[in-house]
Amino acid sequence: VGRENLPRDGRGFVLAPNHISAIDPVFVIIARFWGRRMLVMAKDELMHVNPLLTWFFRQVGVFGVERGRGDTAAIEGAIRQVKGGRGLLIFPEGTRSKTGAPGKLKSGAFVVASNAGVDMVPCRIIYSHGRMRLFSRVRVCFGAPIPAQTLDLGESRSAAKLRQNKQLLLDAWEELYQQNKFR
């Protein structure tokens, strides 16, 4: 739902979905369907499961980030590529939600969007059973982009502005859920 909200003009963007299941990235990429290959940020542990999987992930644009350590090299690399016109799929919660409700948002997606000067596209993944189950239906909903100017954290990276941006994304997720939930 809302695929028209994804940039088509070659500008970079940050795609920011909620995260419920390990299969979420696959659904988002399939729902997106077209366009240049995106970067996909994943926890670094996934890049060390086995060599074949690591090779596959690298071929499809996945890169690892060490969580909890402020992996500045990974973030700076993502900023450079997004500035250059790539899309970045990043789950702002940083991990899957155990309840299905949005969790606490981390700063990474907002830092990348602000430093790269790009829009953020809210994305809500909705499962018919609330969580991924066998035979569960899924909807991937893309919302109206949050403009780069709104996301700009400024030179001082204001904590108040970051909280405001996080709330904008949470509000967009809630609106997408209310408009598209299974009845």
Side-chain angles (χ1 to χ4, degrees), residues 145-158:
I146 301 170
Q149 300 83 354
T150 302
L151 297 168
D152 185 12
L153 297 174
E155 294 280 328
S156 63
R157 288 197 179 155
S158 163

Side-chain angles (χ1 to χ4, degrees), residues 1-164:
V1 176
R3 198 176 310 156
E4 67 277 2
N5 289 314
L6 292 166
R8 295 177 187 246
D9 58 5
R11 288 180 299 134
F13 61 95
V14 172
L15 183 56
N18 62 312
H19 200 10
I20 300 172
S21 171
I23 193 107
D24 290 346
V26 174
F27 289 139
V28 172
I29 290 168
I30 289 171
R32 181 175 167 259
F33 187 67
W34 52 265
R36 288 178 62 188
R37 188 173 76 169
M38 287 191 336
L39 298 169
V40 180
M41 186 179 285
K43 61 183 178 181
D44 192 57
E45 302 93 86
L46 287 178
M47 303 305 286
H48 305 287
V49 173
N50 74 47
L52 182 61
L53 197 56
T54 299
W55 174 84
F56 175 75
F57 282 156
R58 290 189 200 285
Q59 297 309 304
V60 297
V62 178
F63 69 98
V65 63
E66 291 187 45
R67 299 187 303 174
R69 290 197 36 219
D71 191 345
T72 56
I75 297 295
E76 288 169 4
I79 291 168
R80 268 193 313 278
Q81 291 201 48
V82 171
K83 270 185 185 176
R86 298 281 300 270
L88 171 66
L89 171 59
I90 179 173
F91 292 94
E93 296 159 291
T95 190
R96 293 180 299 237
S97 167
K98 292 181 182 7
T99 65
K104 184 176 182 198
L105 302 182
K106 309 281 190 225
S107 303
F110 302 95
V111 169
V112 171
S114 175
N115 287 356
V118 298
D119 297 348
M120 178 180 284
V121 178
C123 177
R124 184 70 189 247
I125 303 164
I126 305 169
Y127 291 98
S128 59
H129 295 98
R131 302 200 37 83
M132 179 61 189
R133 294 190 184 143
L134 192 58
F135 304 113
S136 185
R137 293 185 304 158
V138 62
R139 283 193 184 129
V140 178
C141 310
F142 302 102
I146 301 170
Q149 300 83 354
T150 302
L151 297 168
D152 185 12
L153 297 174
E155 294 280 328
S156 63
R157 288 197 179 155
S158 163
K161 180 66 174 164
L162 180 60
R163 280 191 302 276
Q164 181 182 359

